[in-house]
Amino acid sequence: MSEHWAALLTPSPNTNTPIDSHGLAVWALQFTPRVAHLDEAVLMEVEACMRLFGGADLLRARITDEAVQQGVGIVSWAPTSLAALAFARSGVTDGFAGPLAQLLDRIPFEAVAAIAAHQPVLARLGCKTLGDVRRLPRGGISRRFDQHVLTALDQAYGLRPAAHEWVSLPENFSVKLELPGRVDTAASLMFGAHRLLLQMCGWLAARNSGTTAFEMRWFHDTLRSKTAGEGGELVIRTADPSRDVRHLGRLLAEHLAKVELLAPVGDIEIAALEVHSLVDDNKTLIPDTLRAGEELALVLERLAARLGPECVLRPNLTEDHRLEWMQTWRPAVGTPKTRAPKLPRTVDIPQPSWVLPKPLKLAVARDRPLYQGPLQLVVGPHRVEGGWWHREENAAGQQETRNVQRDYWVALSQHAGILWVFQERLAHDQISWYLHGVFA
C-alpha cells in the first residue's frame, strides 16, 4: 500500500460548481496520467509522478492550493482510492497520519457509498463506524447484504485492488457555469470566467495544445425583459497559440470592459474555438521560461484589446520597388504573420530616412524643381516602373490603378538639406516633379 491517492471533494453533492470529467478532472491531468471521476469527487493516483514535482509534500501543497481555485472543498490523501474518498467525505485530510486500518475504523461508515446504502439495517445492528462494520462476521454480511459491501470494505482497507474508469480527454472544450448570484455588470463576470479559464487551460495543457480563439457566452436571467434577448457573446483571439491563464484572462477583461449588459446574467459559458498544437522551441533539458519576444507579443495583444486593433500596427515588408509600397502597416494582432521577403542586405541606390505620406508636387522654374529655392540634382536618375497590376478603390468608389513611371534623384537644397525627389513622365512629353522623402 505504497501508492498515494488524492480525493478532491466538491463543497456538496448538489453544488453547481463545474467539477466533472470535462472540468477539474481535466485540470488534474496536468499532475498525473490517471484520474477518475467518482460520485461527487475526483480521484487521482499520484504515486507515479511525485518525484517529478519534488516529492509528496510539494505536490500536495500545489494540488491543495490550485484546487481551491476550482471550488474544491477538501483534499484528502490516503494509500487507497476509496480510503481517500472516505476521508474527504469525513473531513480528514491526511490518510498517512497513522496505520490505515486505525484511521478508517474511526470514521462513519456512511463515508463509503456501497456501505451507506444499507444504513438503516446497519444502524439497527449498532454500527456507527467502519470499524463496527468490519467487526461483523463476513459470512453474515455476504448473506444479508450484496457483494458490493465486502468488496468496497476490502478495497478501502487495501485488501483488494480497486478498478476505476479513468477519465479520457474530450475532443472539444465547452463548460458552462451557473453564477452564485445575478450579475449586473460585465466586469463582474470575470470572477466566474477565471474559473472556467483555469479549466480550459488545464484541458489545453493535457493535450499539449494552445488556443488562438475562444468564446465566452453569457445568458440573461429568465426574468429579463423581452428586448434584452437571450444573452451575448465575445470571441477573443490571440496571435499565437496560448494557454497562459493570466494572459487570456487579461485579454478577456479588456474586452469585457467595453461590454454593457442588457439584463442581469445568471450563467456563463466558455468554449475553445481554435486549438493548435504547441511546439516547444526549447532544446535544452531544463525548461526555459524566458523567451525572446514573448512578453512583447502579450503586451501588444493587451493594447490592441484596450485601444482597438486599428490603433496597434506593425510594419510589413513587401517585395516592391515602389517606395510607398516597400513597407505597409497592418494590425499587430488578428492578422496572420507573413515572412519578411528575402531582400538584399545592401542596396546600390540611396534610400531616404523619412518618406512623406503623399508625394508633394513641386514648382518648376527653367526645368528645375523648386523647394525652398532651386534644387541641385546630385545622384540619379533611378528609374522605377511598376504597379500596373495594383488596383484600389478610391474615395468615389471607383477602381484606379497604382501604376508608376518615375525617375528618382537625390537633390540638394540650401535650406532643407538632402531630399529624395522624382520626375514623373506624363503624356505629350510633359513632366512633373515631386518631393517624396528626406534624408536625415
Side-chain angles (χ1 to χ4, degrees), residues 212 237-241 274 276 301 314-318 328-340:
T212 55
R237 299 187 179 275
T238 62
D240 299 314
E274 298 177 6
H276 306 274
E301 288 187 353
R314 61 179 173 87
N316 181 50
L317 295 179
T318 57
T328 58
W329 292 90
R330 307 174 61 184
V333 179
T335 56
K337 291 185 177 180
T338 57
R339 291 186 177 180

Side-chain angles (χ1 to χ4, degrees), residues 6-160:
L8 293 83
L9 197 67
T10 61
S12 67
N14 298 323
T15 183
N16 291 319
T17 305
I19 307 297
D20 52 26
S21 60
H22 298 274
L24 183 59
V26 175
W27 165 83
L29 282 170
Q30 298 178 76
F31 303 99
T32 173
R34 297 206 296 171
V35 180
H37 179 243
L38 185 63
D39 297 332
E40 76 279 19
V42 174
L43 300 176
M44 300 192 302
E45 194 279 309
V46 297
E47 178 69 25
C49 67
M50 285 194 304
R51 180 177 58 86
L52 303 177
F53 294 91
D57 294 336
L58 292 179
L59 178 58
R60 179 184 304 181
R62 178 171 178 178
I63 295 180
T64 302
D65 293 341
E66 298 190 14
V68 174
Q69 304 177 25
Q70 297 287 340
V72 174
I74 188 172
V75 180
S76 297
W77 300 77
T80 67
S81 58
L82 289 187
L85 181 59
F87 287 141
R89 290 169 173 166
S90 304
V92 179
T93 58
D94 190 2
F96 293 90
L100 178 62
Q102 296 181 9
L103 297 177
L104 283 176
D105 284 346
R106 295 198 290 262
I107 67 175
F109 68 81
E110 289 86 358
V112 179
I115 302 177
H118 305 281
Q119 189 273 341
V121 178
L122 292 174
R124 288 195 294 270
L125 293 176
C127 295
K128 296 182 179 179
T129 64
L130 285 176
D132 297 334
V133 177
R134 197 164 71 116
R135 283 188 286 269
L136 294 176
R138 294 180 62 90
I141 294 177
S142 62
R143 290 191 300 269
R144 182 180 291 264
F145 308 111
D146 55 50
Q147 61 179 356
H148 300 295
V149 174
L150 286 179
T151 300
L153 201 63
D154 292 342
Q155 290 176 347
Y157 282 83
L159 303 176
R160 185 181 301 186

Side-chain angles (χ1 to χ4, degrees), residues 104-338:
L104 283 176
D105 284 346
R106 295 198 290 262
I107 67 175
F109 68 81
E110 289 86 358
V112 179
I115 302 177
H118 305 281
Q119 189 273 341
V121 178
L122 292 174
R124 288 195 294 270
L125 293 176
C127 295
K128 296 182 179 179
T129 64
L130 285 176
D132 297 334
V133 177
R134 197 164 71 116
R135 283 188 286 269
L136 294 176
R138 294 180 62 90
I141 294 177
S142 62
R143 290 191 300 269
R144 182 180 291 264
F145 308 111
D146 55 50
Q147 61 179 356
H148 300 295
V149 174
L150 286 179
T151 300
L153 201 63
D154 292 342
Q155 290 176 347
Y157 282 83
L159 303 176
R160 185 181 301 186
H164 299 286
E165 293 184 3
W166 303 111
V167 170
S168 58
L169 287 173
E171 290 298 323
N172 302 307
F173 181 87
S174 179
V175 174
K176 191 174 183 180
L177 171 65
E178 181 180 352
L179 301 176
R182 299 300 175 255
V183 176
D184 298 322
T185 59
S188 301
L189 296 177
M190 277 303 302
F191 177 78
H194 180 71
R195 181 177 297 179
L196 299 186
L197 286 177
L198 283 173
Q199 297 179 27
M200 183 183 70
C201 292
W203 176 81
L204 291 170
R207 296 178 63 93
N208 195 26
S209 301
T211 180
T212 55
F214 68 94
E215 182 181 37
M216 176 180 174
R217 304 187 189 97
W218 56 89
F219 304 91
H220 293 153
D221 186 27
T222 55
L223 300 179
R224 65 185 182 278
S225 62
K226 295 182 179 180
T227 59
E230 296 290 336
E233 61 184 24
L234 271 178
V235 177
I236 311 300
R237 299 187 179 275
T238 62
D240 299 314
S242 174
R243 57 169 180 257
D244 188 344
V245 177
R246 292 181 298 177
H247 177 55
L248 297 180
R250 289 171 181 171
L251 289 181
L252 181 57
E254 294 290 350
H255 284 82
L256 284 177
K258 305 176 184 178
V259 174
E260 183 177 354
L261 299 180
L262 301 179
V265 174
D267 303 271
I268 60 174
E269 182 181 10
I270 284 184
L273 300 182
E274 298 177 6
V275 178
H276 306 274
S277 298
L278 270 183
V279 179
D280 193 355
D281 297 330
N282 181 33
K283 305 300 182 182
T284 62
L285 181 62
I286 301 176
D288 184 12
T289 56
L290 298 177
R291 300 180 182 177
E294 184 177 14
E295 291 300 324
L296 176 60
L298 302 184
V299 171
L300 292 178
E301 288 187 353
R302 290 198 298 272
L303 289 176
R306 180 176 301 179
L307 305 177
E310 69 281 355
C311 296
V312 183
L313 306 177
R314 61 179 173 87
N316 181 50
L317 295 179
T318 57
E319 293 181 345
D320 204 310
H321 294 285
R322 296 170 298 170
L323 190 61
E324 60 268 42
W325 297 105
M326 288 183 178
Q327 174 179 294
T328 58
W329 292 90
R330 307 174 61 184
V333 179
T335 56
K337 291 185 177 180
T338 57

